[in-house]
């Protein structure tokens, strides 16, 4: 299915609706929420809908106002000189979009790749950073209820009971600040309320899909203390079949709970306490080999091993050991808002988060090559933000201080099996002697290197990083006249990082090989002053699995970021703006073993962006449009390269970091949403992005495994040129007591490279997805029953590609196939 098909579908739906009975709609007045009413971060006091939806009753006037906190205060989205996409939590829930990677279907310009919770990657306008190396932080700033999330994996929870999601495109270097060279994702949950409300919903579907979600809120002490409790459970059978034992892999099994207290003892003071717990305990995550080099093929052929299908859409894996992912997250935050003077507010956000990820997998075969592998992470962070907001007739000002402490440890383990010697060295033999196999040549090989030599050998790589980040920032929106506003903002950030890498090789039976006799050359060479380790069996093992390695590195640096924007508002329904923004992401430390061509540290990433935008409301706010044109120049973009140690078992594979000299992003974003007919709401948005690596002479080379390939002038990876999202919602009132509603959503993404080196087989082809739903509810929305179909046309597409054994060997995860089910909701008040 392609964009033309989507246009036809929406046209048919619009034509059907044009003759339907009218449904009345209402609008919320625009404007900015002032400081006279206390509201905590991320939620409008007016409780207006944060995304364009139609209300149940009232005069047919227009769309609800979109309230955002993109400038750390509540205001209408039209007032903000930033290109953004905003989706309400209710819209996400009704569309059945509950995972963070689902957000991209409503926010063109952003892509989310999730091979596993730990290997999560966000990009905006083609700019983003992988989580493969723990030393690299995201280029997209992630925020939950005003709290910065230090790792991309911390965002991997179900989206439930949300107020809205804001995607801010381009550098947000002043108020969000840390690591927002690409943009920011700002998630806001719903507030506790002094009015009793409760909701519960359950969903059942094919593939054994089961989900329960609910929330309850209300007063604990009238007028003073309110609470809110939210929970969810999601389960779904795995979409991959393990050829080895017939089990299902890549299942979903997660649950979470969030509790809140909102204390408002006086009109000028509020305190919000949030405590969260979430856990994923899943048979996950495999991304089987889909493309591999001749060297790996020769190894398989020597062992007389035939892999599971290389076609990712056959959804086959072959694993003879446990595949498992356990992720746990605990968090608590306190937000205080105090109106200490007229139109002046002090805000404090204090937060602590603890995230652990414990993945276990094998070598993607039923051979005993590496029966157990995985990188376990333990991440703890503490953050404190203190800021003041001042509203004046002449200006709006924000100033503040920010501090973040992160303590991250990593434990990579690779336990070798009895077949690794035959597979590794047999492959070399097979390339020289095409007839050689384990049957006819194995006895000779195993006489030299018996299977027991490497069986049980363990390679542990322990890493840690402690980092401190401190920042001071300020921003002023000057009201130059009734039509012109000037925004100026500046932030200084300084970071201190202390990291260590320790790798050890233990176990196995190195002396079981007759070649171990060569180890006497090492002390002999020491006596002669010559390094002879490379000629010994220990040296050979270093070249197979990696030897002992130890490094401790410190780094500290600081830099400025900021923004200047000029807005022209000839009337209440128009905002034309031009802006210049400077983004900064600190440099870091490679948390992996590095060789000669990859330094232990990498430079900071800097982005300079120019943007021109126009936002409008039309036809008494029955139509809203937005257009932005931009160019962003990035210096020293942080990207992955491979471990340049020439090991035969390249692990940790493509994991080290380098800086791409210059990257240019150039494109446009357009959005429109409106009431096309009574009861019919249409939306359409598209993003075009031309992302190019202008200066990249040191790119990884698939053939030589050296940083010698010149990709200057080539397309940046993970940067689709086109992303499109369209949709229609139609509702029909039946005898004043019931409401029939339907929805149709369409998402298109053009093709893009999935890895920095553009290796053959690492390209994700264009794809599009159609989701549909049909439901019935009572007029007061006390109950709701609906049916859904996701990926209606069963589109085949790749959700993620990663280097598996080394550069040129790629594993891929197929995207969700067609699914269907039903949802039942109840609302109480």
């Amino acid at each position: 299915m392609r964009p033309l098909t989507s246009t036809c579908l929406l046209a048919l739906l619009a034509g059907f609706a044009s003759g339907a009975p009218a449904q009345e709609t209402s609008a919320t007045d625009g404007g900015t929420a002032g400081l006279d009413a206390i509201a905590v971060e991320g939620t409008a006091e007016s409780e207006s809908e944060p995304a364009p939806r139609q209300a149940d009753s009232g005069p047919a006037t227009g769309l609800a106002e979109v309230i955002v906190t993109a400038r750390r205060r509540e205001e209408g989205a039209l007032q903000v000189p930033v290109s953004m996409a905003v989706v309400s939590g209710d819209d996400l829930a009704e569309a059945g979009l509950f995972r963070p990677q689902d957000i991209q279907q409503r926010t063109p310009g952003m892509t989310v790749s999730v091979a596993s919770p730990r290997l999560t990657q966000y990009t905006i306008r083609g700019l983003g950073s992988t989580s493969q190396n723990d030393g690299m932080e995201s280029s997209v700033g992630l925020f939950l209820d005003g709290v910065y999330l230090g790792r991309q994996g911390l965002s991997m929870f179900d989206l439930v009971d949300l107020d809205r999601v804001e995607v801010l495109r381009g550098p947000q270097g002043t108020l969000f600040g840390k690591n927002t060279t690409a943009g920011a994702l700002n998630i806001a949950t719903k507030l506790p309320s002094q009015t009793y409300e409760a909701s519960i919903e359950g969903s059942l579907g094919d593939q054994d899909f089961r989900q329960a979600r609910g929330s309850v809120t209300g007063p604990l002490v009238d007028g003073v203390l309110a609470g809110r409790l939210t929970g969810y459970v999601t389960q779904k059978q795995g979409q991959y079949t393990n050829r080895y034992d017939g089990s299902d892999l890549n299942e979903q099994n997660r649950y979470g709970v969030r509790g809140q207290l909102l204390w408002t003892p006086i009109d000028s003071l509020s305190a919000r306490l949030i405590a969260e717990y979430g856990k994923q305990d899943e048979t996950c995550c495999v991304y089987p080999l889909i493309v591999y080099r001749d060297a790996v093929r020769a190894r398989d052929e020597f062992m007389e091993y035939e892999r599971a299908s290389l076609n990712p859409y056959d959804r086959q894996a072959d694993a003879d050991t446990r595949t498992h992912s356990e992720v746990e997250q605990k968090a608590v935050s306190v937000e205080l808002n105090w109106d200490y003077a007229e139109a002046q507010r002090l805000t404090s956000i204090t937060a602590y988060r603890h995230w652990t990820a414990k993945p276990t997998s094998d070598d993607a075969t039923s051979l005993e090559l590496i029966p157990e592998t995985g990188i376990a992470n333990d991440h703890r962070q503490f953050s404190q933000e203190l800021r003041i907001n001042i509203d004046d007739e002449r200006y709006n000002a924000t100033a503040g201080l920010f501090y973040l402490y992160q303590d991250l440890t990593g434990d990579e383990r690779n336990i070798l099996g009895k077949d690794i010697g035959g597979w590794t060295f047999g492959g070399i033999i097979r390339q020289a002697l095409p007839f050689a196999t384990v049957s006819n040549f194995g006895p000779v090989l195993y006489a030299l290197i018996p299977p027991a030599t490497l069986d049980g050998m363990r390679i542990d790589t322990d890493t840690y990083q402690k980092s401190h980040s401190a920042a001071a920032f300020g921003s002023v929106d000057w009201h130059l006249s009734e039509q012109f506003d000037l925004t100026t903002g500046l932030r200084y950030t300084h970071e201190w990082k202390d990291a260590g890498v320790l790798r050890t090789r233990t176990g196995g039976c190195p002396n079981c090989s007759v070649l171990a006799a060569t180890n006497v050359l090492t002390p002999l060479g020491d006596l002669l002053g010559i390094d002879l380790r490379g000629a010994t069996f220990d040296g050979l093992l270093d070249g197979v699995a990696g030897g002992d390695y130890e490094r401790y590195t410190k780094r500290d640096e600081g830099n400025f970021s900021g923004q200047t924007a000029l807005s022209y508002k000839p009337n209440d329904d128009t905002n034309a703006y031009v802006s210049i923004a400077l983004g900064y992401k600190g440099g870091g430390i490679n948390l992996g073993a590095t060789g000669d061509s990859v330094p232990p540290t990498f430079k900071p990433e800097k982005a300079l962006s120019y943007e021109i935008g126009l936002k409008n409301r039309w036809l008494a706010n029955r139509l809203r449009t937005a257009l932005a044109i931009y160019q962003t120049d990035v210096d020293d973009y942080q990207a992955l390269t491979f471990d340049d140690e020439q090991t035969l078992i390249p692990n940790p594979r493509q994991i080290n970091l380098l800086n791409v000299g210059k990257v240019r992003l150039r494109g446009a974003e357009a959005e429109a949403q409106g009431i096309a007919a009574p009861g019919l709401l249409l939306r359409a948005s598209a993003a075009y992005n031309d992302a190019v690596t202008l200066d990249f002479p040191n790119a990884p080379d698939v053939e030589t495994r050296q940083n010698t390939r010149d990709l200057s002038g080539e397309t940046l990876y993970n940067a689709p040129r086109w992303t499109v999202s369209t949709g229609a919602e139609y509702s029909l009132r039946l005898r004043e007591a019931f409401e029939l509603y339907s929805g149709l959503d369409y998402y298109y993404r053009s093709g893009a490279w999935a890895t920095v080196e553009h290796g053959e087989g690492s390209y994700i082809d264009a794809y599009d997805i159609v989701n549909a739903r049909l439901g019935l509810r009572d007029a007061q929305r006390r109950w709701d029953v609906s049916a859904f179909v996701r990926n209606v046309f069963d589109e085949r597409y790749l959700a993620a590609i990663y280097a598996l054994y080394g550069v040129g060997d790629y594993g891929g995860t197929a995207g969700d196939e067609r699914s269907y089910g039903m949802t039942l909701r109840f609302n109480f008040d």
Side-chain angles (χ1 to χ4, degrees):
M1 191 164 181
R2 291 292 176 260
L4 180 59
T5 310
S6 171
T7 304
C8 295
L9 284 173
L10 294 181
L12 287 172
L13 185 55
F16 168 75
S18 62
Q23 174 182 331
E24 297 174 337
T25 61
S26 66
T28 301
D29 293 337
T32 302
L35 295 183
D36 55 335
I38 284 289
V40 297
E41 180 77 28
T43 305
E45 178 69 19
S46 64
E47 295 184 356
S48 59
E49 288 281 352
R53 295 179 60 86
Q54 295 168 270
D56 297 329
S57 61
T61 54
L63 299 166
E65 179 68 9
V66 180
I67 301 297
V68 298
T69 53
R71 293 193 287 188
R72 295 301 201 188
R73 66 175 187 270
E74 297 162 3
E75 57 188 330
L78 183 140
Q79 311 299 321
V80 184
V82 172
S83 175
M84 67 173 67
V86 186
V87 187
S88 78
D90 290 341
D91 279 350
L92 290 171
E94 187 172 290
L97 305 177
F98 59 89
R99 302 173 304 176
Q101 56 264 47
D102 296 333
I103 299 174
Q104 63 186 321
Q105 297 186 24
R106 291 293 186 94
T107 55
M110 183 179 81
T111 61
V112 187
S113 174
V114 184
S116 67
R118 180 182 173 272
L119 298 179
T120 299
Q121 179 173 355
Y122 290 83
T123 66
I124 294 179
R125 292 177 172 173
L127 198 64
S129 302
T130 180
S131 301
Q132 187 90 3
N133 187 306
D134 290 331
M136 180 184 284
E137 297 178 282
S138 175
S139 297
V140 176
L142 305 175
F143 298 85
L144 174 62
D145 290 322
V147 177
Y148 175 74
L149 305 181
R151 317 300 302 176
Q152 296 180 93
L154 269 68
S155 67
M156 288 294 106
F157 53 84
D158 275 17
L159 305 174
V160 56
D161 207 24
L162 300 187
D163 183 71
R164 72 186 176 282
V165 174
E166 303 172 5
V167 176
L168 312 179
R169 305 180 181 108
Q172 306 297 318
T174 303
L175 299 178
F176 289 90
K178 180 174 172 60
N179 298 344
T180 58
T181 47
L185 173 65
N186 187 28
I187 301 174
T189 64
K190 289 184 177 180
L191 276 171
S193 173
Q194 280 289 336
T195 302
Y196 172 77
E197 299 174 351
S199 66
I200 186 170
E201 70 174 60
S203 298
L204 294 174
D206 68 328
Q207 303 168 30
D208 204 20
F209 175 68
R210 293 167 291 174
Q211 185 178 68
R213 297 146 55 103
S215 66
V216 58
T217 185
L220 301 177
V221 179
D222 285 344
V224 177
L225 184 65
R228 191 178 196 99
L229 183 64
T230 303
Y232 68 87
V233 177
T234 300
Q235 296 179 331
K236 188 177 182 180
Q237 75 178 37
Q239 297 191 32
Y240 275 76
T241 300
N242 188 354
R243 186 181 69 174
Y244 179 74
D245 60 10
S247 61
D248 292 331
L249 300 174
N250 286 14
E251 69 174 2
Q252 296 178 37
N253 182 32
R254 60 194 65 172
Y255 61 89
V257 62
R258 178 171 62 243
Q260 301 185 62
L261 294 175
L262 179 59
W263 181 52
T264 52
I266 56 177
D267 290 344
S268 60
L269 179 66
S270 76
R272 183 188 188 189
L273 170 67
I274 306 175
E276 300 176 75
Y277 177 79
K279 186 168 185 177
Q280 300 178 34
D281 191 354
E282 302 173 332
T283 304
C284 187
C285 301
V286 295
Y287 33 100
L289 202 65
I290 58 175
V291 174
Y292 62 139
R293 296 168 298 159
D294 290 341
V296 175
R297 182 177 290 105
R299 296 173 186 179
D300 289 350
E301 290 172 347
F302 180 85
M303 296 300 293
E304 300 174 349
Y305 174 73
E306 182 179 350
R307 289 184 176 266
S309 174
L310 296 181
N311 184 344
Y313 308 118
D314 289 340
R315 302 180 188 272
Q316 289 187 4
D318 194 17
D320 58 345
T321 55
R322 185 172 184 241
T323 298
H324 186 249
S325 175
E326 180 179 332
V327 180
E328 189 174 41
Q329 185 165 191
K330 306 169 187 176
V332 62
S333 65
V334 178
E335 179 177 345
L336 300 174
N337 286 278
W338 175 35
D339 289 351
Y340 61 92
E342 183 178 358
Q344 298 182 35
R345 174 172 296 170
L346 175 67
T347 298
S348 169
I349 302 178
T350 308
Y352 172 80
R353 304 190 78 87
H354 181 200
W355 177 79
T356 58
K358 301 176 182 178
T360 299
S361 60
D362 73 348
D363 46 66
T365 74
S366 56
L367 296 172
E368 293 190 36
L369 306 179
I370 308 177
E372 183 178 335
T373 182
I375 303 177
N377 282 134
D378 188 297
H379 174 267
R380 302 168 191 262
Q381 68 170 65
F382 170 81
S383 61
Q384 173 64 58
E385 183 170 357
L386 190 67
R387 67 174 183 268
I388 58 172
N389 290 82
I390 300 175
D391 282 358
D392 187 86
E393 292 183 358
R394 298 164 297 171
Y395 61 85
N396 301 103
T398 301
L401 300 171
F402 175 78
Y403 171 74
L404 173 69
Y405 170 72
Q406 297 181 83
D407 186 348
L408 173 68
T409 60
D411 176 16
E412 179 176 9
R413 64 207 179 279
N414 293 284
I415 301 176
L416 308 186
K418 64 181 180 62
D419 294 327
I420 189 67
W423 188 74
T424 301
F425 298 112
I428 299 174
I429 297 172
R430 176 82 181 193
Q431 287 182 298
L433 303 173
F435 59 85
T437 68
V438 69
S439 296
N440 59 32
F441 219 93
V444 177
L445 174 60
Y446 290 144
L448 293 174
I449 307 176
T453 305
L454 297 177
D455 191 19
M457 183 173 288
R458 182 177 180 123
I459 300 94
D460 286 290
T461 304
D462 296 322
T463 61
Y464 77 86
Q465 178 172 279
K466 299 180 186 296
S467 63
H468 302 261
S469 177
F473 59 89
S475 178
V476 182
D477 302 319
W478 305 94
H479 307 312
L480 303 180
S481 68
E482 291 186 1
Q483 288 80 34
F484 286 96
D485 284 353
L486 175 65
T487 298
T488 57
L490 187 65
R491 184 184 190 104
Y492 178 76
T493 302
H494 201 97
E495 296 186 335
W496 300 263
K497 295 181 179 180
D498 180 5
V501 181
L502 175 63
R503 185 176 67 193
T504 57
R505 189 182 75 235
T506 59
C509 183
N511 292 328
C512 290
S513 172
V514 297
L515 299 179
T518 60
N519 292 333
V520 299
L521 293 176
T522 298
L524 178 61
D526 293 340
L527 290 175
L528 299 176
I530 304 173
D531 185 6
L532 297 178
R533 184 176 175 87
T536 68
F537 187 59
D538 281 344
L540 178 64
L541 293 180
D542 288 346
V544 173
D548 292 348
Y549 179 94
E550 187 172 6
R551 172 169 54 84
Y552 300 96
T553 311
K554 291 187 177 182
R555 181 184 180 93
D556 76 273
E557 64 189 11
N559 214 314
F560 288 93
S561 56
Q563 181 193 31
T564 297
L566 180 64
S567 299
Y568 172 58
K569 304 171 185 175
N571 54 60
D572 292 340
D573 296 322
T574 302
N575 183 6
Y577 67 89
V578 58
S579 70
I580 301 175
L582 178 64
Y584 164 78
K585 185 175 82 165
I589 301 171
N590 256 314
L591 292 186
T594 56
D596 295 333
S597 67
V598 178
T601 63
F602 49 93
K603 299 176 185 177
E605 179 179 290
K606 301 177 183 179
L608 180 61
S609 182
Y610 306 89
E611 183 173 308
I612 300 174
L614 179 63
K615 299 181 180 183
N616 289 96
R617 291 185 296 219
W618 310 85
L619 305 175
N621 199 26
R622 294 174 63 86
L623 173 65
R624 255 199 308 265
T625 60
L627 175 66
I629 301 172
Y630 65 88
Q631 175 167 315
T632 303
D633 298 311
V634 185
D635 290 332
D636 294 319
Y637 170 55
Q638 297 167 2
L640 277 182
T641 185
F642 45 78
D643 179 353
D644 61 352
E645 293 184 304
Q646 297 298 310
T647 56
L648 294 179
I649 306 172
N651 208 332
R653 301 166 296 274
Q654 186 170 339
I655 194 172
N656 283 334
L657 297 167
L658 54 74
N659 290 104
V660 178
K662 289 186 180 296
V663 171
R664 186 198 66 210
L665 317 174
R666 181 184 292 168
E669 293 132 358
E671 179 182 1
Q673 52 216 350
I675 303 171
L680 178 63
L681 183 68
L682 297 180
R683 60 175 179 82
S685 53
Y688 171 80
N689 180 45
D690 182 23
V692 178
T693 54
L694 295 179
D695 179 26
F696 195 12
N698 60 326
D701 190 298
V702 173
E703 299 301 326
T704 65
R705 290 192 62 214
Q706 295 180 0
N707 295 325
T708 55
R709 186 177 183 188
D710 192 347
L711 287 179
S712 302
E714 297 294 327
T715 303
L716 185 64
Y717 79 114
N718 270 342
R721 183 155 295 185
W722 283 99
T723 50
V724 177
S725 175
T726 62
E729 298 177 18
Y730 173 66
S731 57
L732 174 66
R733 187 67 60 87
L734 303 175
R735 296 184 179 179
E736 300 302 322
F738 305 102
E739 188 175 64
L740 182 68
Y741 69 94
S742 62
L744 187 66
D745 301 311
Y746 172 82
Y747 172 71
Y748 169 78
R749 169 179 155 166
S750 62
W753 293 103
T755 60
V756 65
E757 73 280 355
H758 292 192
E760 183 180 354
S762 69
Y763 190 83
I764 295 179
D765 291 328
Y767 64 87
D768 49 10
I769 300 172
V770 175
N771 299 328
R773 59 192 180 277
L774 177 66
L776 179 69
R777 57 195 171 207
D778 75 327
Q780 287 73 40
R781 299 196 179 186
R782 293 171 297 189
W783 58 264
D784 182 323
V785 59
S786 62
F788 62 83
V789 182
R790 295 168 192 150
N791 194 1
V792 174
F793 297 97
D794 204 18
E795 176 82 350
R796 291 184 168 190
Y797 65 99
L798 285 171
I801 292 178
Y802 280 88
L804 189 60
Y805 296 127
V807 176
D809 309 314
Y810 300 109
T813 300
D816 294 336
E817 56 190 340
R818 179 170 51 217
S819 61
Y820 54 86
M822 296 191 68
T823 298
L824 181 63
R825 300 184 182 95
F826 293 98
N827 297 310
F828 308 93
D829 53 26

